[in-house]
Amino acid sequence: MTAFAPLLGLLEEVPDHRRAEGKVYQLAYVLLFSILAIVSGGNSYRSIVTFIEMHRPRLNEVFGLTWRRAPAHTAIRYILQGLDSDAVEAAFRGHAKLLQAAHAKPGGGSLAIDGKTLRGSFDAFRDRAAAHLLGMFATDTALVLAHSEVDEKSNEIPAAQALLAELGLAGHLVTLDALHCQRKPSSSAPRPAPT
């Protein structure tokens, strides 16, 4: 359990949206076991339940739990869909920061920022465009340090600037796509004469 203690501590800071009567399963453990299930290849609420049920005796032993069965897939869905995404991102950023500090090489590597559109995130029913995320990757440790959602009515440029400001990364070498090399056009600047 000691290997998971830092992550578990950060997951305990994620606020639980459930009523007190509905907290049969502790949120931090549900989140940790969901992460383990997904890292093991799970891609649905049912696969998370299958993972927990298959490994429940060992999970109980390692984490000092007394779970008699895995939560239902509907309970997992309710728990995960009700999470505060900013609090979950803060927990992941905190964990990545701990790992980066423990494993970074002296002199450090560069940081790479890149945006990706999430496959399957387009929602025509709710008239929502596909989600576009910006990720920050540390090249020396191969860790994703942070994610940030790009506003639907904006683009990667202001999102990358905000992410860099949030994380306070002065003095680090950061690589970005050519998209970030644009100069903001100024209305007062003279336009070049046509040739």
Side-chain angles (χ1 to χ4, degrees):
M1 175 168 142
T2 55
F4 292 107
L7 177 57
L8 199 54
L10 290 164
L11 293 175
E12 286 171 352
E13 295 174 16
V14 175
D16 195 338
H17 62 93
R18 299 173 293 168
R19 294 187 330 247
E21 305 84 44
K23 296 181 182 178
V24 175
Y25 300 98
Q26 294 166 295
L27 179 63
Y29 291 106
V30 172
L31 295 177
L32 178 61
F33 299 162
S34 297
I35 292 166
L36 294 176
I38 291 166
V39 169
S40 300
N43 59 5
S44 68
Y45 301 118
R46 290 182 192 273
S47 65
I48 293 170
V49 172
T50 301
F51 174 87
I52 294 171
E53 194 53 49
M54 285 179 57
H55 300 284
R56 187 179 45 78
R58 180 80 173 126
L59 295 171
N60 279 343
E61 177 189 331
V62 170
F63 293 99
L65 301 172
T66 57
W67 290 12
R68 288 179 283 157
R69 64 181 172 276
H73 75 278
T74 53
I76 297 283
R77 182 180 66 223
Y78 173 73
I79 291 168
L80 296 182
Q81 287 184 349
L83 292 173
D84 176 0
S85 60
D86 291 336
V88 174
E89 176 65 20
F92 282 128
R93 285 184 185 186
H95 188 246
K97 187 176 182 179
L98 291 172
L99 291 173
Q100 180 70 9
H103 300 289
K105 296 174 177 66
S110 64
L111 303 172
I113 296 179
D114 193 24
K116 296 291 178 203
T117 300
L118 299 181
R119 182 178 56 177
S121 61
F122 173 75
D123 190 347
F125 183 73
R126 292 188 178 96
D127 197 29
R128 187 185 190 302
H132 192 77
L133 287 182
L134 205 59
M136 180 173 292
F137 179 78
T139 59
D140 59 338
T141 56
L143 289 169
V144 175
L145 301 180
H147 290 101
S148 179
E149 189 167 359
V150 177
D151 186 18
E152 218 174 289
K153 296 179 176 137
S154 186
N155 60 49
E156 286 184 25
I157 296 171
Q161 292 169 350
L163 185 60
L164 287 168
E166 280 176 38
L167 298 176
L169 296 170
H172 286 82
L173 176 64
V174 179
T175 61
L176 300 135
D177 291 339
L179 166 75
H180 298 274
C181 296
Q182 296 180 35
R183 288 190 298 188
K184 185 175 180 179
S186 173
S187 58
S188 61
R191 292 183 178 229
T195 55

